[in-house]
Amino acid sequence: LRWQENRLPQPTLEELTACMADPDLRVISFDIFDTLLVRHVLQPQDVFHLTAGQVDTRYGIHFERMRAPAEAELGLTNPTLDQIYAHMARRHGLSPETAAALREAELRCERTVLRARPAARALYDTARRLGKRVIAVSDMYLPASFLRDILRENGMEVDALYVSCEQGARKSDGSLYDRVAQQEGCAPDEMLHFGDNRRSDVEQALKRGVCALWLPSVQALACPTPELWRETFATAQDAEPRISPYLALALNQSYGEQAGFSRNIARFASLVEAGRLLLAPLLTAFAVRLATDKE
């Protein structure tokens, strides 16, 4: 199966419901980030920027410069958040108390920006209504207990949650699907997995015998190419870093349900769409900047 960028017709909720209703499917599996949950920031690293705003002055550090490269510096395939912060403490001479405080600050920021994605929430509700076992699977450094709490707070309790950092296996190479099927006590083809990453969530799942369907991310729905995304949003964020949450909120609201909006931002259907996605976030960020400028 060859995927073409944004050229596949997207199945309707009714069609997806029919897939999930197959009696041979015992387990419905969901990716977490950009599938069940979206972040109200443009890039995952923007969480570090938000955290820095809360901790830099208090602890006399430059959090973003410490945190952004920490995973790569650690050199582990599936690092946990605790391992990341232990590395930061060693490298930057942080006390255990400071490292723990920074870790909690990052988790608070994650909790603040994470929200349910309506399209995936509808699929989750359908799976529950069909009486299926519902699980979540993610390549992520955040602990499963934290992610389970976030999903619960957003109305999506799962029967099991598997994260790469705790399982020692990843979706990106397919090994996590083997681990999940084994722990679920089912054959791979008795599982149906939804996710936004076509390689990790679809191709690797299919290679391991797991049924899989692509649920395009908000970014994929909004921008037909990565280049358009960078030109439109990265440029704006570089000019005003604090605009990230406002742009992300507008995108998630507009494309989170996969319906009722233009296919991509290169061709707005109306000035209303352009205003909601571009003008409103820019004006909001500028107004907040003015309102918080002591001078």
Side-chain angles (χ1 to χ4, degrees), residues 39 49 70 76 103 115 120 126 172 200 281:
R39 285 184 175 107
H49 179 75
L76 299 178
R103 179 185 182 277
R115 291 293 183 272
T126 298
S172 60
S200 296

Side-chain angles (χ1 to χ4, degrees), residues 1 49-50 67 73 136 141 177 187-188 197 210 231 244 261 270 283 285-286 290:
L1 180 61
H49 179 75
L50 295 176
R67 179 64 179 86
E73 293 171 351
Y141 52 79
Y177 294 110
N197 188 298
V210 175
E231 291 171 6
S244 173
F261 230 68
S270 68
L283 285 175
F286 184 61
L290 288 176

Side-chain angles (χ1 to χ4, degrees), residues 61 66 85 88-99 102:
I61 61 173
M66 295 166 50
Y85 272 89
M88 289 169 57
R90 290 191 301 269
R91 181 171 177 79
H92 301 282
L94 303 176
S95 69
E97 294 76 17
T98 298
L102 297 180

Side-chain angles (χ1 to χ4, degrees), residues 91-238:
R91 181 171 177 79
H92 301 282
L94 303 176
S95 69
E97 294 76 17
T98 298
L102 297 180
R103 179 185 182 277
E104 290 308 306
E106 179 179 337
L107 291 177
R108 284 197 302 272
C109 280
E110 286 280 14
R111 189 182 298 271
T112 299
V113 301
L114 284 168
R115 291 293 183 272
R117 182 179 175 188
R121 173 62 192 269
L123 294 174
Y124 167 89
D125 290 341
T126 298
R128 282 298 188 204
R129 188 170 65 252
L130 292 170
K132 303 290 185 177
R133 179 171 170 84
V134 178
I135 67 173
V137 184
S138 181
D139 285 347
M140 176 48 64
Y141 52 79
L142 293 172
S145 57
F146 174 78
L147 295 174
R148 185 185 289 275
D149 288 344
I150 297 296
L151 289 171
R152 184 184 298 116
E153 291 167 9
N154 283 275
M156 295 180 289
E157 182 78 55
V158 292
D159 297 309
L161 197 153
Y162 303 90
V163 290
S164 60
C165 68
E166 296 178 3
Q167 296 295 325
R170 298 183 63 81
K171 289 187 302 177
S172 60
D173 62 16
S175 58
L176 186 53
Y177 294 110
D178 295 336
R179 188 73 55 85
V180 170
Q182 181 183 24
Q183 295 190 34
E184 287 294 312
C186 67
D189 61 3
E190 293 178 312
M191 292 172 49
L192 173 60
H193 180 72
F194 290 96
D196 71 288
N197 188 298
R198 284 181 288 189
R199 183 177 185 278
S200 296
D201 291 310
V202 179
E203 293 175 10
Q204 289 296 337
L206 293 173
K207 287 180 180 178
R208 300 292 172 140
V210 175
C211 305
L213 287 169
W214 184 46
L215 187 67
S217 67
V218 166
Q219 177 176 342
L221 290 170
C223 294
T225 65
E227 291 74 22
L228 180 60
W229 175 269
R230 287 193 294 269
E231 291 171 6
T232 306
F233 295 105
T235 301
Q237 186 178 7
D238 289 343

Side-chain angles (χ1 to χ4, degrees), residues 46-58 63-64 109:
D46 292 342
V47 173
F48 306 155
H49 179 75
L50 295 176
T51 305
Q54 298 184 10
V55 302
D56 279 7
T57 301
R58 180 174 181 180
F63 177 81
E64 196 169 1
C109 280

